[in-house]
Coordinates of all heavy atoms in Angstrom, one line a residue:
M30 N -2.6 -1.4 10.4 CA -1.7 -0.6 9.7 C -1.9 0.9 10.0 O -3.0 1.4 9.9 CB -1.9 -0.8 8.1 CG -0.6 -0.6 7.4 SD -0.4 1.1 6.9 CE -1.5 1.2 5.6
K31 N -0.8 1.5 10.5 CA -0.9 2.8 11.1 C -1.4 3.9 10.2 O -2.1 4.8 10.6 CB 0.4 3.2 11.8 CG 0.7 2.6 13.1 CD 1.9 3.2 13.7 CE 2.2 2.7 15.1 NZ 1.4 3.3 16.2
W32 N -1.0 3.8 8.9 CA -1.3 4.9 8.0 C -2.6 4.6 7.2 O -2.9 5.3 6.3 CB -0.2 5.1 7.0 CG 1.1 5.6 7.6 CD1 2.1 4.9 8.1 CD2 1.4 7.0 7.8 NE1 3.1 5.7 8.6 CE2 2.7 7.0 8.4 CE3 0.8 8.2 7.5 CZ2 3.4 8.2 8.7 CZ3 1.5 9.4 7.8 CH2 2.7 9.4 8.4
G33 N -3.4 3.6 7.6 CA -4.6 3.2 6.9 C -5.6 4.3 6.7 O -6.1 4.6 5.6
K34 N -5.8 5.1 7.8 CA -6.8 6.2 7.7 C -6.3 7.3 6.7 O -7.1 7.9 6.0 CB -7.0 6.8 9.1 CG -8.1 7.8 9.2 CD -9.4 7.0 9.3 CE -10.6 7.9 9.0 NZ -11.8 7.2 8.7
N35 N -5.0 7.5 6.7 CA -4.4 8.5 5.9 C -4.6 8.1 4.4 O -4.9 9.0 3.5 CB -2.9 8.8 6.2 CG -2.7 9.0 7.7 OD1 -2.7 8.1 8.5 ND2 -2.6 10.3 8.0
I36 N -4.3 6.9 4.1 CA -4.5 6.4 2.8 C -5.9 6.5 2.3 O -6.2 6.9 1.2 CB -4.0 4.9 2.7 CG1 -2.5 4.9 3.0 CG2 -4.3 4.3 1.3 CD1 -1.9 3.5 3.3
E37 N -6.8 6.2 3.2 CA -8.3 6.4 2.9 C -8.5 7.9 2.5 O -9.2 8.1 1.5 CB -9.1 6.1 4.1 CG -9.7 4.7 4.1 CD -10.5 4.5 5.4 OE1 -11.3 5.3 5.7 OE2 -10.2 3.5 6.1
N38 N -8.0 8.8 3.3 CA -8.2 10.2 3.0 C -7.7 10.6 1.6 O -8.3 11.3 0.8 CB -7.5 11.1 4.0 CG -8.2 11.0 5.4 OD1 -9.4 10.7 5.4 ND2 -7.5 11.3 6.4
I39 N -6.5 10.1 1.3 CA -5.8 10.4 0.0 C -6.7 9.9 -1.1 O -6.9 10.5 -2.1 CB -4.4 9.8 0.0 CG1 -3.5 10.6 1.0 CG2 -3.8 10.0 -1.4 CD1 -2.2 9.9 1.3
A40 N -7.1 8.6 -0.9 CA -8.0 8.0 -2.0 C -9.2 8.8 -2.3 O -9.8 8.7 -3.4 CB -8.3 6.6 -1.6
K41 N -9.7 9.5 -1.2 CA -10.9 10.3 -1.4 C -10.6 11.7 -2.0 O -11.4 12.6 -2.1 CB -11.6 10.5 -0.1 CG -12.3 9.3 0.4 CD -12.9 9.6 1.8 CE -13.3 8.3 2.5 NZ -13.3 8.5 4.0
G42 N -9.3 11.9 -2.3 CA -8.9 13.2 -2.9 C -8.6 14.3 -1.8 O -8.5 15.4 -2.2
K43 N -8.5 13.9 -0.6 CA -8.3 14.9 0.5 C -6.8 14.9 0.9 O -6.0 14.0 0.4 CB -9.2 14.6 1.7 CG -10.7 14.6 1.4 CD -11.5 14.7 2.6 CE -11.6 13.3 3.3 NZ -12.6 13.2 4.4
S44 N -6.5 15.7 1.8 CA -5.1 15.7 2.4 C -5.0 14.5 3.3 O -6.0 14.0 3.8 CB -4.8 17.0 3.1 OG -5.7 17.2 4.1
P45 N -3.8 14.0 3.6 CA -3.6 12.8 4.4 C -4.2 12.9 5.8 O -4.6 11.8 6.3 CB -2.1 12.5 4.4 CG -1.6 13.4 3.3 CD -2.5 14.5 3.1
G46 N -4.2 14.0 6.4 CA -4.7 14.2 7.7 C -3.7 13.9 8.8 O -2.5 13.9 8.4
K47 N -4.1 13.6 10.0 CA -3.2 13.5 11.1 C -2.2 12.4 11.0 O -2.5 11.3 10.7 CB -4.0 13.3 12.4 CG -4.5 14.6 13.0 CD -5.0 14.4 14.4 CE -5.6 15.7 14.9 NZ -6.7 15.6 15.8
C48 N -1.0 12.7 11.4 CA 0.1 11.7 11.5 C -0.3 10.7 12.6 O -0.6 11.1 13.7 CB 1.4 12.4 11.8 SG 2.7 11.3 12.3
P49 N -0.2 9.4 12.3 CA -0.5 8.4 13.3 C 0.5 8.3 14.4 O 0.2 7.6 15.4 CB -0.6 7.1 12.5 CG 0.2 7.3 11.2 CD 0.1 8.8 11.0
Y50 N 1.6 8.9 14.2 CA 2.7 8.8 15.2 C 2.7 10.0 16.2 O 2.7 9.9 17.4 CB 4.1 8.7 14.6 CG 4.3 7.4 14.0 CD1 3.9 7.1 12.6 CD2 4.8 6.3 14.7 CE1 4.1 5.9 12.0 CE2 4.9 5.0 14.1 CZ 4.6 4.8 12.8 OH 4.7 3.6 12.2
C51 N 2.6 11.2 15.6 CA 2.7 12.4 16.5 C 1.5 13.3 16.4 O 1.4 14.3 17.2 CB 4.0 13.3 16.1 SG 3.8 14.1 14.5
G52 N 0.5 13.0 15.6 CA -0.7 13.7 15.6 C -0.7 15.0 14.8 O -1.7 15.8 14.7
S53 N 0.4 15.3 14.2 CA 0.6 16.5 13.4 C -0.2 16.5 12.1 O -0.4 15.4 11.5 CB 2.0 16.7 13.0 OG 2.2 17.8 12.0
E54 N -0.8 17.6 11.7 CA -1.5 17.7 10.4 C -0.6 18.0 9.3 O -1.0 18.1 8.1 CB -2.6 18.8 10.5 CG -3.6 18.6 11.5 CD -4.9 17.9 11.0 OE1 -4.9 17.5 9.9 OE2 -5.8 17.7 11.9
N55 N 0.7 18.2 9.6 CA 1.7 18.5 8.6 C 2.2 17.3 7.8 O 3.4 16.9 7.9 CB 2.8 19.3 9.3 CG 3.8 19.9 8.3 OD1 3.5 20.0 7.1 ND2 4.9 20.4 8.8
T56 N 1.3 16.6 7.2 CA 1.6 15.4 6.5 C 1.5 15.6 5.0 O 0.8 16.6 4.5 CB 0.7 14.2 6.9 OG1 -0.7 14.7 6.7 CG2 0.9 13.8 8.3
D57 N 2.1 14.8 4.2 CA 2.0 14.9 2.7 C 2.2 13.6 2.1 O 2.6 12.6 2.8 CB 3.0 16.0 2.3 CG 2.4 16.8 1.1 OD1 1.5 16.3 0.4 OD2 2.9 17.9 0.9
Y58 N 2.0 13.6 0.8 CA 2.2 12.3 0.1 C 2.7 12.6 -1.4 O 2.5 13.7 -1.8 CB 1.0 11.5 0.1 CG -0.1 12.0 -0.9 CD1 -0.2 11.6 -2.2 CD2 -1.0 13.0 -0.4 CE1 -1.2 12.1 -3.0 CE2 -1.9 13.5 -1.3 CZ -2.0 13.1 -2.6 OH -3.0 13.6 -3.4
N59 N 3.2 11.6 -2.0 CA 3.5 11.7 -3.4 C 3.3 10.4 -4.1 O 3.7 9.3 -3.5 CB 4.9 12.2 -3.6 CG 5.2 12.4 -5.1 OD1 4.6 13.3 -5.7 ND2 6.1 11.7 -5.6
C60 N 2.8 10.4 -5.3 CA 2.6 9.2 -6.1 C 3.6 9.2 -7.2 O 3.9 10.3 -7.8 CB 1.2 9.1 -6.6 SG 0.0 9.0 -5.4
T61 N 4.2 8.1 -7.5 CA 5.1 8.0 -8.7 C 4.4 7.0 -9.6 O 4.2 5.8 -9.2 CB 6.4 7.5 -8.2 OG1 6.9 8.3 -7.2 CG2 7.4 7.5 -9.4
I62 N 4.2 7.4 -10.8 CA 3.6 6.5 -11.8 C 4.7 5.9 -12.6 O 5.5 6.5 -13.2 CB 2.6 7.2 -12.7 CG1 1.4 7.7 -11.8 CG2 2.1 6.3 -13.8 CD1 0.4 8.6 -12.5
V63 N 4.7 4.5 -12.6 CA 5.7 3.8 -13.3 C 5.3 3.3 -14.7 O 6.0 3.4 -15.7 CB 6.2 2.6 -12.5 CG1 7.3 1.8 -13.1 CG2 6.6 3.0 -11.1
I64 N 4.0 2.9 -14.8 CA 3.5 2.4 -16.0 C 2.3 3.3 -16.4 O 1.1 3.0 -15.9 CB 3.1 0.9 -16.0 CG1 4.2 0.1 -15.4 CG2 2.6 0.4 -17.3 CD1 3.9 -1.3 -15.1
P65 N 2.5 4.3 -17.1 CA 1.4 5.3 -17.4 C 0.1 4.7 -18.0 O -1.0 5.1 -17.7 CB 2.0 6.3 -18.3 CG 3.5 6.2 -18.1 CD 3.7 4.7 -17.8
E66 N 0.3 3.8 -18.9 CA -0.9 3.2 -19.6 C -1.9 2.6 -18.6 O -3.1 2.5 -18.8 CB -0.5 2.1 -20.6 CG 0.6 2.5 -21.6 CD 2.0 2.3 -21.0 OE1 2.4 1.2 -20.9 OE2 2.7 3.3 -20.7
K67 N -1.3 2.0 -17.5 CA -2.1 1.4 -16.5 C -2.2 2.2 -15.2 O -2.9 1.7 -14.3 CB -1.6 0.0 -16.2 CG -1.6 -1.0 -17.3 CD -1.0 -2.3 -17.0 CE -1.1 -3.3 -18.1 NZ -0.3 -4.5 -17.8
R68 N -1.6 3.3 -15.2 CA -1.5 4.2 -14.0 C -1.0 3.4 -12.8 O -1.4 3.6 -11.7 CB -2.8 4.8 -13.7 CG -3.2 5.9 -14.7 CD -4.3 6.8 -14.3 NE -4.0 7.6 -13.1 CZ -3.3 8.8 -13.3 NH1 -3.0 9.2 -14.4 NH2 -3.1 9.5 -12.2
L69 N -0.1 2.4 -13.0 CA 0.5 1.7 -12.0 C 1.7 2.4 -11.4 O 2.5 2.9 -12.2 CB 0.9 0.3 -12.4 CG -0.2 -0.8 -12.5 CD1 0.4 -2.1 -13.0 CD2 -0.9 -1.0 -11.2
G70 N 1.8 2.4 -10.1 CA 3.0 3.0 -9.5 C 3.1 2.8 -8.1 O 2.6 1.7 -7.6
H71 N 3.7 3.7 -7.4 CA 3.8 3.5 -5.9 C 3.6 4.9 -5.2 O 3.6 5.9 -5.9 CB 5.2 2.9 -5.5 CG 6.4 3.5 -6.2 ND1 7.1 4.6 -5.7 CD2 7.0 3.2 -7.4 CE1 8.0 4.9 -6.5 NE2 8.0 4.1 -7.5
M72 N 3.4 4.8 -3.9 CA 3.1 6.1 -3.2 C 3.9 6.1 -1.9 O 4.1 5.1 -1.3 CB 1.6 6.1 -2.9 CG 1.2 7.3 -2.1 SD -0.6 7.6 -2.1 CE -1.2 6.3 -1.0
M73 N 4.2 7.3 -1.5 CA 4.9 7.6 -0.3 C 4.0 8.6 0.5 O 3.6 9.6 0.0 CB 6.3 8.2 -0.6 CG 7.1 8.5 0.6 SD 7.6 7.0 1.4 CE 9.2 6.9 0.7
I74 N 3.8 8.3 1.8 CA 3.2 9.2 2.7 C 4.2 9.5 3.8 O 4.9 8.6 4.2 CB 1.9 8.5 3.4 CG1 1.0 7.9 2.4 CG2 1.1 9.6 4.1 CD1 -0.1 7.0 3.0
W75 N 4.2 10.8 4.2 CA 5.1 11.1 5.3 C 4.6 12.2 6.2 O 3.6 12.9 5.8 CB 6.5 11.4 4.8 CG 6.5 12.7 4.0 CD1 6.7 14.0 4.5 CD2 6.3 12.8 2.6 NE1 6.6 14.9 3.4 CE2 6.4 14.2 2.3 CE3 6.1 11.9 1.5 CZ2 6.3 14.7 0.9 CZ3 6.0 12.4 0.2 CH2 6.1 13.8 0.0
C76 N 5.2 12.4 7.3 CA 4.9 13.5 8.3 C 6.1 14.4 8.3 O 7.2 13.9 8.5 CB 4.7 12.9 9.6 SG 4.6 14.2 10.9
N77 N 5.9 15.7 8.0 CA 7.0 16.6 8.0 C 7.5 17.0 9.4 O 8.6 17.6 9.5 CB 6.5 17.9 7.3 CG 6.3 17.8 5.8 OD1 7.3 17.3 5.1 ND2 5.2 18.1 5.3
D78 N 6.8 16.6 10.4 CA 7.2 17.0 11.8 C 8.1 15.9 12.4 O 9.2 16.1 12.8 CB 6.0 17.3 12.7 CG 5.5 18.7 12.3 OD1 6.2 19.5 11.7 OD2 4.3 19.0 12.6
C79 N 7.6 14.6 12.4 CA 8.3 13.6 13.1 C 9.1 12.7 12.0 O 9.9 11.8 12.4 CB 7.5 12.7 13.9 SG 6.3 11.6 13.0
M80 N 8.9 13.0 10.7 CA 9.6 12.4 9.6 C 9.4 10.9 9.5 O 10.2 10.2 9.0 CB 11.1 12.7 9.7 CG 11.5 14.2 9.7 SD 10.9 15.0 8.2 CE 12.2 14.5 7.1
R81 N 8.2 10.4 10.0 CA 7.9 9.1 9.8 C 7.3 9.0 8.4 O 6.6 9.9 7.9 CB 6.8 8.6 10.8 CG 7.3 8.6 12.2 CD 8.0 7.3 12.5 NE 8.3 7.1 13.9 CZ 8.6 6.0 14.4 NH1 8.6 4.9 13.7 NH2 8.9 5.9 15.7
G82 N 7.5 7.9 7.7 CA 7.0 7.7 6.4 C 6.5 6.3 6.1 O 6.8 5.4 6.9
Y83 N 5.7 6.2 5.1 CA 5.2 4.9 4.7 C 5.2 4.7 3.2 O 4.8 5.7 2.5 CB 3.8 4.7 5.3 CG 3.3 3.3 5.0 CD1 3.7 2.2 5.8 CD2 2.3 3.1 4.1 CE1 3.2 0.9 5.6 CE2 1.8 1.8 3.8 CZ 2.3 0.7 4.6 OH 1.8 -0.5 4.3
H84 N 5.6 3.6 2.7 CA 5.8 3.4 1.3 C 4.8 2.3 0.9 O 4.8 1.2 1.4 CB 7.2 3.0 1.0 CG 7.4 2.9 -0.5 ND1 7.9 1.7 -1.1 CD2 7.3 3.8 -1.5 CE1 8.0 1.9 -2.4 NE2 7.7 3.2 -2.7
I85 N 4.0 2.6 -0.1 CA 3.1 1.6 -0.7 C 3.8 1.2 -2.0 O 3.9 2.0 -2.9 CB 1.7 2.1 -1.0 CG1 1.1 2.5 0.4 CG2 0.9 1.1 -1.7 CD1 -0.1 3.4 0.3
S86 N 4.2 0.0 -2.1 CA 5.1 -0.4 -3.2 C 4.4 -0.6 -4.6 O 5.0 -0.4 -5.6 CB 5.9 -1.6 -2.9 OG 5.1 -2.7 -2.5
R87 N 3.1 -1.0 -4.5 CA 2.5 -1.2 -5.8 C 1.0 -0.8 -5.7 O 0.3 -1.4 -4.8 CB 2.6 -2.7 -6.1 CG 2.5 -3.1 -7.5 CD 2.6 -4.6 -7.7 NE 1.8 -4.9 -8.9 CZ 2.3 -4.9 -10.1 NH1 3.6 -4.6 -10.3 NH2 1.6 -5.2 -11.2
M88 N 0.6 0.0 -6.5 CA -0.8 0.4 -6.5 C -1.2 1.1 -7.8 O -0.4 1.5 -8.6 CB -1.1 1.5 -5.4 CG -0.3 2.8 -5.6 SD -0.6 4.0 -4.3 CE -2.2 4.7 -4.9
E89 N -2.5 1.1 -8.0 CA -3.1 1.8 -9.2 C -3.3 3.3 -8.7 O -4.0 3.5 -7.7 CB -4.4 1.2 -9.6 CG -4.7 1.6 -11.1 CD -6.0 0.9 -11.5 OE1 -6.1 -0.3 -11.3 OE2 -6.9 1.5 -12.1
V90 N -2.7 4.2 -9.3 CA -2.7 5.6 -8.9 C -4.0 6.3 -9.5 O -4.1 6.4 -10.7 CB -1.5 6.4 -9.3 CG1 -1.6 7.8 -8.8 CG2 -0.2 5.7 -8.7
P91 N -4.9 6.7 -8.6 CA -6.2 7.3 -9.1 C -5.8 8.7 -9.7 O -4.9 9.3 -9.4 CB -7.0 7.5 -7.9 CG -6.4 6.6 -6.8 CD -5.0 6.5 -7.1
E92 N -6.7 9.1 -10.7 CA -6.5 10.4 -11.3 C -6.6 11.5 -10.2 O -7.4 11.3 -9.2 CB -7.7 10.7 -12.2 CG -7.8 9.7 -13.4 CD -6.9 10.2 -14.6 OE1 -6.3 11.3 -14.5 OE2 -6.7 9.4 -15.5
G93 N -5.9 12.5 -10.4 CA -6.0 13.7 -9.5 C -5.1 13.6 -8.3 O -5.0 14.6 -7.5
L94 N -4.4 12.5 -8.0 CA -3.4 12.5 -6.9 C -2.1 13.2 -7.3 O -1.7 13.2 -8.4 CB -3.2 11.0 -6.5 CG -4.1 10.6 -5.3 CD1 -5.5 10.6 -5.7 CD2 -3.7 9.2 -4.9
K95 N -1.5 13.7 -6.2 CA -0.2 14.5 -6.4 C 0.9 13.5 -6.9 O 1.1 12.5 -6.3 CB 0.2 15.1 -5.1 CG -0.5 16.3 -4.8 CD 0.1 17.0 -3.6 CE -0.7 16.9 -2.3 NZ -0.1 17.6 -1.2
T96 N 1.6 14.0 -7.9 CA 2.7 13.2 -8.4 C 4.0 14.0 -8.6 O 5.0 13.6 -9.1 CB 2.4 12.6 -9.8 OG1 2.0 13.7 -10.7 CG2 1.3 11.6 -9.7
D97 N 3.9 15.3 -8.1 CA 5.1 16.2 -8.3 C 5.7 16.7 -7.0 O 6.4 17.7 -7.0 CB 4.7 17.3 -9.2 CG 3.5 18.1 -8.6 OD1 2.9 17.7 -7.6 OD2 3.1 19.1 -9.3
K98 N 5.3 16.1 -5.9 CA 5.8 16.5 -4.6 C 7.1 15.9 -4.3 O 7.3 14.7 -4.5 CB 4.7 16.1 -3.5 CG 4.8 16.8 -2.2 CD 4.1 18.1 -2.3 CE 4.5 18.9 -1.0 NZ 4.1 20.3 -1.1
E99 N 8.0 16.8 -3.8 CA 9.3 16.2 -3.4 C 9.3 15.5 -2.1 O 8.8 16.0 -1.1 CB 10.4 17.4 -3.4 CG 11.8 16.9 -3.5 CD 12.8 18.0 -3.8 OE1 12.4 18.9 -4.5 OE2 13.9 17.8 -3.4
I100 N 9.9 14.3 -2.1 CA 9.9 13.5 -0.9 C 11.1 13.9 0.0 O 12.3 14.0 -0.5 CB 10.0 12.0 -1.2 CG1 8.8 11.6 -2.0 CG2 10.2 11.2 0.0 CD1 8.9 10.3 -2.7
P101 N 10.9 14.3 1.2 CA 12.0 14.8 2.1 C 13.0 13.7 2.4 O 12.7 12.5 2.4 CB 11.4 15.2 3.4 CG 9.9 14.8 3.3 CD 9.6 14.3 1.9
Q102 N 14.3 14.1 2.6 CA 15.3 13.2 2.9 C 15.2 12.8 4.4 O 14.7 13.5 5.2 CB 16.7 13.8 2.8 CG 17.0 14.3 1.4 CD 17.3 13.2 0.4 OE1 18.1 12.3 0.7 NE2 16.6 13.1 -0.7
G103 N 15.7 11.5 4.7 CA 15.8 11.1 6.1 C 14.5 10.7 6.8 O 14.4 10.7 8.0
L104 N 13.6 10.2 6.0 CA 12.3 9.6 6.5 C 12.6 8.3 7.3 O 13.5 7.5 6.8 CB 11.3 9.4 5.4 CG 10.7 10.6 4.8 CD1 9.8 10.1 3.6 CD2 9.9 11.5 5.7
K105 N 11.9 8.1 8.3 CA 12.0 6.8 9.1 C 10.8 5.9 8.7 O 9.7 6.4 8.7 CB 12.0 7.1 10.6 CG 13.3 7.8 11.1 CD 13.1 8.2 12.5 CE 12.2 9.4 12.7 NZ 12.4 10.2 13.9
Y106 N 11.1 4.6 8.6 CA 10.0 3.7 8.2 C 9.6 2.8 9.4 O 10.5 2.5 10.2 CB 10.4 2.9 7.0 CG 10.6 3.8 5.8 CD1 12.0 4.1 5.5 CD2 9.6 4.4 5.1 CE1 12.2 4.9 4.4 CE2 9.9 5.2 4.1 CZ 11.2 5.5 3.7 OH 11.4 6.3 2.7
Ligands
ZN212 ZN1 4.4 12.8 12.7

């Protein structure tokens, strides 16, 4: 899975790091919490340069992760 390293970085509370497609550091992510009592939700990771994105459809969102970042339009999966 191409974004595996990035997800690891996010889970450690760091920035996502290099885009697996173009190598840009201009990457970002956002978590959406759907069930607050269980902190269950989903996450989107993307690259602002090549606009590649990855969606994790179901996960437990750790404390401290970004949940207010706007997801850009036109991401490619
Ligand atoms: Zn990229």
